[in-house]
Amino acid sequence: MGHSVLGVLSLFLLNTLLSCGHTEYAELTFEPNSTTLYSGEHVNLTCHMREANVSEWNYEFKWNDKPLVPITSSNVLRIPELTPDRNGDYQCIAHHNSSEENKRSNRATLSVSAHKPRATVRVDVHLRLFDT
């Protein structure tokens, strides 16, 4: 089971490149914590930074790869009244204030349904008071 130094070094470099190139340092979450919401409801998108001071970054929120709002210093974006046309993929990109470093979040999919299901209760009462 001899491993050549070149083979081990190649695997190490490949692993390093893959890790550096694809590691997400930001995480996008929804509040309420659901991927299905209904017309008229609101959602907060939060761009959580890993191992970084939130105030050192400006945030860009994207919906289906299009900017939702201009870049902002707030890591939370509130969408006040959802409609079904807001279905799609959301992502945030954090831009460092004093460098050209950018960190992309995961893509999170949100589904907005037109109507919230309603529960109905039906009671069938068959009461026999007397047995004849």
Side-chain angles (χ1 to χ4, degrees):
M1 284 208 185
H3 298 294
S4 71
V5 173
L6 184 57
V8 172
L9 184 58
S10 296
L11 287 174
F12 174 77
L13 289 174
L14 178 62
N15 186 40
T16 302
L17 287 172
L18 290 175
S19 295
C20 291
H22 297 287
T23 300
E24 295 161 346
Y25 293 98
E27 180 183 13
L28 181 68
T29 61
F30 298 137
E31 179 62 40
N33 186 15
S34 176
T35 56
T36 303
L37 295 171
Y38 300 95
S39 284
E41 294 183 328
H42 76 276
V43 67
N44 290 332
L45 310 179
T46 303
C47 192
H48 300 277
M49 295 301 297
R50 297 181 186 171
E51 302 176 18
N53 185 345
V54 174
S55 65
E56 295 176 354
W57 300 84
N58 287 316
Y59 301 91
E60 179 179 5
F61 291 91
K62 291 194 169 203
W63 166 60
N64 295 331
D65 294 321
K66 294 177 249 172
L68 274 171
V69 294
I71 294 175
T72 177
S73 61
S74 175
N75 70 325
V76 178
L77 176 66
R78 180 179 175 89
I79 301 176
E81 194 165 324
L82 291 170
T83 56
D85 64 348
R86 284 296 183 184
N87 287 330
D89 292 330
Y90 290 80
Q91 185 177 35
C92 67
I93 303 168
H95 303 274
H96 196 271
N97 291 338
S98 60
S99 73
E100 293 191 23
E101 184 178 10
N102 297 326
K103 297 182 185 282
R104 290 183 176 271
S105 75
N106 55 306
R107 289 182 184 268
T109 301
L110 181 67
S111 297
V112 181
S113 295
H115 302 287
K116 192 170 190 169
R118 294 183 182 198
T120 57
V121 176
R122 191 176 125 205
V123 178
D124 286 332
V125 179
H126 296 283
L127 184 62
R128 288 181 74 177
L129 294 176
F130 301 101
D131 209 10
T132 56

